[in-house]
Amino acid sequence: MTNQIPDHINFGYIALDAIVASHTNPRKTFEPTALAELTSNIKASGVHQPVLLRTLPASRLEDTTHLKPRPQYELVCGERRFRACHAAGLKTIPAMVAELTDDQTLEVQVVENLQRTDLSALEEAEGYEVLMHSAHINADQVAEKIGKSRAYVYG
């Protein structure tokens, strides 16, 4: 794959109001009961795995002008944790910040989400299609990236 992910990532605690969710996250549905359970867990013991962010891209400036304070970051991975932290009333979240292009962001989101077991079949299929088109790869290469068979991806 040509979209190498940067090897330099900054880590810190970022204010939730400095983050905006991504429009390209393949996960579109968030099961309310599971999200409530995650919120309870976070209230009880905090966030144990950081989310992945990137600096807010220029393409997102126009659709975030109404937000106060204006976000500085776009969420790449970890939207369930992000939502649960909001619901838990936290002000910050542990985060890794990487400089990612739009293509790299989409690839990370698709691969990360497709490794989950609770995606709907439609979300999974759409994720494979997006990954193939955005990264200009075929189903065989997708299968290799996600550790599934070629037949699984085609199915």
Side-chain angles (χ1 to χ4, degrees):
M1 173 138 284
T2 58
N3 289 330
Q4 285 290 37
I5 304 304
D7 58 4
H8 178 74
I9 296 177
N10 294 316
F11 177 82
Y13 284 83
I14 306 291
L16 289 173
D17 61 8
I19 304 167
V20 65
S22 172
H23 293 306
T24 58
N25 184 354
R27 181 183 299 276
K28 305 297 181 205
T29 57
F30 298 87
E31 203 280 309
T33 303
L35 194 56
E37 289 172 1
L38 181 57
T39 300
S40 292
N41 290 340
I42 286 173
K43 283 181 181 178
S45 64
V47 180
H48 300 287
Q49 184 174 350
V51 296
L52 178 61
L53 310 174
R54 70 173 177 159
T55 303
L56 189 69
S59 63
R60 294 294 312 273
L61 294 178
E62 187 175 326
D63 73 290
T64 59
T65 57
H66 67 285
L67 299 174
K68 303 292 182 228
R70 192 161 194 183
Q72 299 170 317
Y73 303 98
E74 181 180 55
L75 186 65
V76 176
C77 295
E79 189 162 350
R80 287 184 68 247
R81 280 169 277 153
F82 177 68
R83 288 174 179 231
C85 284
H86 269 293
L90 299 182
K91 300 293 182 211
T92 63
I93 190 169
M96 299 178 295
V97 180
E99 292 305 316
L100 300 169
T101 66
D102 290 346
D103 286 344
Q104 289 170 328
T105 296
L106 187 57
E107 180 180 336
V108 169
Q109 289 174 326
V110 170
V111 171
E112 192 265 346
N113 275 295
L114 292 176
Q115 292 173 346
R116 305 283 183 210
T117 58
D118 58 346
L119 280 182
S120 73
L122 181 59
E123 287 173 323
E124 187 173 0
E126 288 172 345
Y128 294 143
E129 182 178 14
V130 167
L131 183 57
M132 285 188 278
H133 290 318
S134 70
H136 308 292
I137 62 176
N138 61 36
D140 292 331
Q141 292 165 309
V142 169
E144 186 178 316
K145 278 197 151 313
I146 63 169
K148 303 272 186 181
S149 71
R150 176 180 187 256
Y152 182 88
V153 173
Y154 276 108

